[in-house]
Amino acid sequence: YTYENESGKKILFDQAVTDGTSLSVDNENGTYKIIEVAGHETHLYFRGTTSVAFWIEDVYFFQITSNDSITEETLIKMVESVE
């Protein structure tokens, strides 16, 4: 799912079944950390105006991405809102 406002700022929400593949994050050119959010190990990545959170719940991979320089606090609230 993608939300885009009139100025072109986007928030993308992805959900997929995990299939054992791995994911790499460029942590040399951005800020990367792992925290617990809503009982899940959640990976947060910030680089320039890009903000990303991803986590695995049961057999599902979830990801929220924004190109609008959202804050860590806002990104965490978005993760907490996923049911």
Side-chain angles (χ1 to χ4, degrees):
Y1 177 79
T2 301
Y3 166 79
E4 182 174 358
N5 68 14
E6 57 280 342
S7 64
K9 302 298 183 181
K10 294 181 184 179
I11 298 173
L12 288 73
F13 174 76
D14 293 313
Q15 175 184 348
V17 175
T18 60
D19 60 3
T21 59
S22 63
L23 179 70
S24 62
V25 175
D26 176 8
N27 61 357
E28 292 182 11
N29 295 307
T31 303
Y32 173 75
K33 67 168 125 180
I34 301 171
I35 63 172
E36 186 169 314
V37 179
H40 304 288
E41 182 178 271
T42 303
H43 302 252
L44 302 178
Y45 177 71
F46 301 91
R47 180 178 179 195
T49 60
T50 300
S51 306
V52 180
F54 61 91
W55 68 100
I56 294 175
E57 183 178 337
D58 298 321
V59 298
Y60 296 101
F61 171 84
F62 297 90
Q63 180 171 326
I64 298 171
T65 306
S66 174
N67 68 345
D68 191 20
S69 298
I70 60 174
T71 66
E72 180 176 329
E73 180 182 344
T74 299
L75 192 56
I76 289 170
K77 287 179 181 180
M78 294 170 81
V79 171
E80 291 172 333
S81 73
V82 175
E83 297 180 2

